Amino acid sequence: MTESTTTARDDAEHLHLAALAAFGLYAAAWARAAERHGSPDAAPGRASGVLLTGAATFRLSRLTKAKITRPLRAPFTVVDGPGAPAELNETPKAGRRVVGSRLSCPFCLGVWVATTLTGARALWPHATRAAERTLAAVAAADAMQLAYARLVRAAEGEPQ
């Protein structure tokens, strides 16, 4: 391994540690705000609340792949090609990997989205639940659209 490779790896590790620290501060800020100003009945609590937040997190974090949000990711990612319907597969740009990987990975962004929704629920429970219900409904509608398209292809004898 060359010295420049080692230095690049060390720099990448420092950037990932900085991103982890930023997330820790972000979560702590939400926790502090919830503690000072939050509603006591705002926590997801029941399984239905956790599932609602999960469905909303799923849908919102899938925007990391959506064609419509490509301009927001453009400074940080390069398009590799088409992905799932209405989605793109992207790779982070060199020198912008930490931000690019979070903006192009629904799993990476999902942690931030779930933290945001959980914190927002503590401060604005009614508005957050409404937003979560909307996102969950869109996720369900997307699943139904994909299932319908698959049924039509099957009925017409097209290969799946």
Side-chain angles (χ1 to χ4, degrees), residues 7-8 10 13 20-21 26 31 48-49 54 63 76 80 85 91 94 98 102 107 109 117 119 123 142 144 154 160:
T7 303
D10 289 345
E13 287 178 13
L20 184 61
Y26 183 73
S48 61
L63 291 176
F76 305 100
D80 295 330
T91 304
V98 173
R102 272 119 195 110
F107 300 101
L109 191 62
L117 291 172
L123 298 177
D142 288 351
M144 287 184 252
Q160 300 296 314

Side-chain angles (χ1 to χ4, degrees), residues 57-137:
T57 298
F58 165 77
R59 184 62 197 110
L60 200 53
S61 37
R62 289 308 301 176
L63 291 176
T64 61
K65 299 282 193 181
K67 289 178 183 178
I68 197 165
T69 56
R70 170 69 189 133
L72 300 174
R73 296 185 309 275
F76 305 100
T77 63
V78 176
V79 175
D80 295 330
E87 292 186 349
L88 298 169
N89 290 327
E90 296 172 286
T91 304
K93 288 182 179 177
R96 297 183 176 198
R97 292 193 190 286
V98 173
V99 174
S101 65
R102 272 119 195 110
L103 292 179
S104 63
C105 171
F107 300 101
C108 303
L109 191 62
V111 175
W112 291 79
V113 170
T115 301
T116 302
L117 291 172
T118 302
R121 184 185 286 238
L123 298 177
W124 310 286
H126 298 294
T128 304
R129 276 190 213 105
E132 287 177 332
R133 284 186 193 109
T134 301
L135 290 164

Side-chain angles (χ1 to χ4, degrees), residues 38-55:
S39 171
D41 65 338
R46 290 185 272 174
S48 61
V50 173
L51 289 174
L52 182 63
T53 300

